[in-house]
Amino acid sequence: MSVSSETPAATADGVTSTLTPDDIRAALDGLLERRTDQTRLTSMGAGSDDLDDGRAYLAATVDGGWHVPTWPSNHGGRDASVAENQLIGSVLREYVVPDLYPFAIGLGMVGPALLAHGTEEQQDRWLRPIASGAEIWCQMFSEPEAGSDLANVALSAAEDGDVWRLDGQKTWTSRAMWSKWAICLARTDPDQPKHKGLTMFVIAMDAPGVDVRPLRQMNNDAHFSEVFVDGAVVPDAWRVGDVGEGWRVAMTILSHERAGAGSRGGGDGAKRGSRIPTWIADLAALGALDDPIGTDAARRDEAMSIYAADMASRWTAQRAADEARSGGSPGPAGSGAKLRTVSSYKRRAYLANRSAGAAGMLEDGHGYIETVTAPSMSIRGGTDEIQRNILGERVLGLPGEPRLDRDVPWRESRRGLL
Amino acid sequence: MTVRTAPEPVVVDELITETADRLFGELCTHEAVQAAEDSGEAPDIWDAFCETGFDLIAVPEDAGGSGGTLAEAIEVLRLVGYHSAPIPAAENGILGGWLLAEAGLERPDGLVTVIPPRATEGGWSGGGACSVSLDGDGTAVLNGEAHRVPWARSAEAIVCVCECDGRTTVVSVPTSECTITPLPNMAGEPRDSVSFDGATGRAAPTPDGVDAGALAQRGALSRVALMAGAIEKMCQLTVSYTNERVQFGRPVARFQAVQQHLVWAAQDAALVRMAAEVAAREATRGDAPFEIAAAKLVANQAAARATKACHQAHGAMGMTQEYPLHHFSRRLWSWRKEYGSDAHWSAVLGEMATGVGADGLYPLITSGTAALG
Ligand SMILES: Cc1cc2nc3c(=O)[nH]c(=O)nc-3n(C[C@H](O)[C@H](O)[C@H](O)COP(=O)(O)OP(=O)(O)OC[C@H]3O[C@@H](n4cnc5c(N)ncnc54)[C@H](O)[C@@H]3O)c2cc1C
């Protein structure tokens, strides 16, 4: 147990705040259940369509600003400093915080982006319902022709008085069928080079001209959709950031997505005081770690190697998240965090499934849903290859790939002139 | 020095490859394979398969089979894997059909399946256990449970090998005597639980060399063949998809990072196919415990690598049910665990290697089972 979690937190300017772990527990005890060894949660929503648990949790914590403490207190936060936020986070781990997958775009990406780029009016309208779980958001970035090459989005937004008319198609839009709102990257000027003619909008998912068609995934979830947009009207007041600044806003959002910054919760379920994460406890319960010499030895090695990497990763992610919460965006550090989180998820999934022996082949076998979800982890939110490109180019300063279309009007680069 | 004569070549009739490939190519459309997941059954595909006689290939004609060699049956299974044909081809023929023929037990009219031997199940995985007792006239009475029995729900009879009164015995139980709980594997193929409550069947002793160990090897060989086909197809899908998929103004296959995935997958496809062919050839000639153990281990490891590489190179498209990649990856993840995990066959190979000692290791690698003496 680290010392800092039992002592009052320091605020950003070094003044010791009065908030102690016991204060936080006193506030949370009336709102949330404590975790037990038996607490198990779904992971990234896989295999579950439950919205109620997350909604109840957010509704319970929004008045105290406990889930997004660094957000302003009038928007569902509590103006917490980085240190207070960390303290709250560590105390929250003692409670049952559900898998917040359905709410993750609002909490983790749109919220921080609105705080960074949104108008006061936009913050007033949208932040609190995000924090309270009342309104779910989705992210309409990817298109059939714009996956890794996100700057190639074609969905167009044309100005018409004080509204915009949007036309085009998005795809892989997770949570679209639950969402009230989407954050949508659109092309406002096809005569600019591809990164420059983009603008970010908020679009109401129930607006006329928005058609959501769910797609089924190989893990049997239907959590992502194609979204067809046909003349949907968006008021100019729902534009986030300046016209032509969409790429910059998108980068803020993506770096938050990668760092997983604002979306805490759904931890591993280990009870307070227990050092053993539940995934290891589950392996042990299966009998897969019993024998230190025989075949279990290889599993024990793998489990400990994952555990060690997880600890390093958690501390590094915490540092990146703190930078994000203190106002900055996680930037390329988020890419490193994402690579590590994904690698850990996959290793844990495969180890769990392997450890189940032949029974692991069944659809109700140990580690099944994680195993069939795992391949998507290194794809969603930007593929591993793209994260490594970002680290190579932006952290190490290595030469980039030749990008012939950078300075060519998008309209022409699209026609295949390159 | 003794001069060894070259062994007889094992040839697979090209007509078999062509016929099976054409048959499955026509029947196992993406939609048909997907639809089979709901019930776990694909009667149209099974019936057409039976019409060719492939359902009983390598089962001797005098035992009601279609004749042909084990190598030919393995080639058919490779094509079953290549087309993700949702049928119990291995269970009915070279596993169940073989056991019945060896024991001289009568084949029922319909489909036959097999209980995988416990040895390959992994210690704590709860494979279920059943007891068999015999009475004098060849009647067996079964009590207990068996787990993960392929296509039990579609079968007429369930066949297993067991030790009874000190003799290795094959037992065939009509499914009408059993209670079957349908369960799917990761790919929606039936891996049902079967419970026996005084179920009666027919029993007969086996000739030498036909026992649980031999069934484990045949089972493993059947999975290697299926996996060889599935990896090959997955690899082909990935090469063509990445050559068509354009991002940043070029096909993603032009990115070296993507090419490396393709190369891993291609290597694995070649490796497993070679392992399957060598193991099938040796098993056709005689015993092949070394080649089969090595082949299943190679296939298991390759399946893990190749599914990762192919999914990654596909991006989100590979995650949808609409696109066929998952038919192959989910099967590979399941087959990898069946008839022996990596740990199981590693241990078997390790015992062989330590058994022959330092001087025997190189001959074991170069000559395989022959070097085991
Ligand atoms: C489960 C899931 C949920 C998703 N949810 C959302 C969502 O809510 N909203 C949204 O907007 N999007 C979402 N996505 C889409 C996701 O952002 C894209 O899948 C991702 O950016 C990759 O794009 P792609 O699938 O088109 O793959 P492609 O870009 O076609 O990539 C194919 C392969 O090429 C590689 N590649 C491409 N370019 C390069 C390069 N320059 N260098 C090296 N390798 C390269 C990739 O790494 C990959 O291996 C989701 C995806 C998944 C799987």
Side-chain angles (χ1 to χ4, degrees), chain A residues 144 147 218 353 355 378 385, chain B residues 124 245 247 261 312 319 337:
Chain A
M218 76 164 173
N353 194 240
S355 299
S378 47
E385 289 74 18
Chain B
W124 56 88
R245 171 68 174 161
Q247 287 289 273
H261 292 310
Q312 189 62 21
M319 301 306 304
K337 298 173 194 303

Side-chain angles (χ1 to χ4, degrees), chain B residues 105-123:
Chain B
L105 284 171
E106 202 186 327
R107 245 202 98 78
D109 264 348
L111 205 155
V112 165
T113 190
V114 171
I115 302 178
R118 237 177 121 56
T120 55
E121 291 271 283

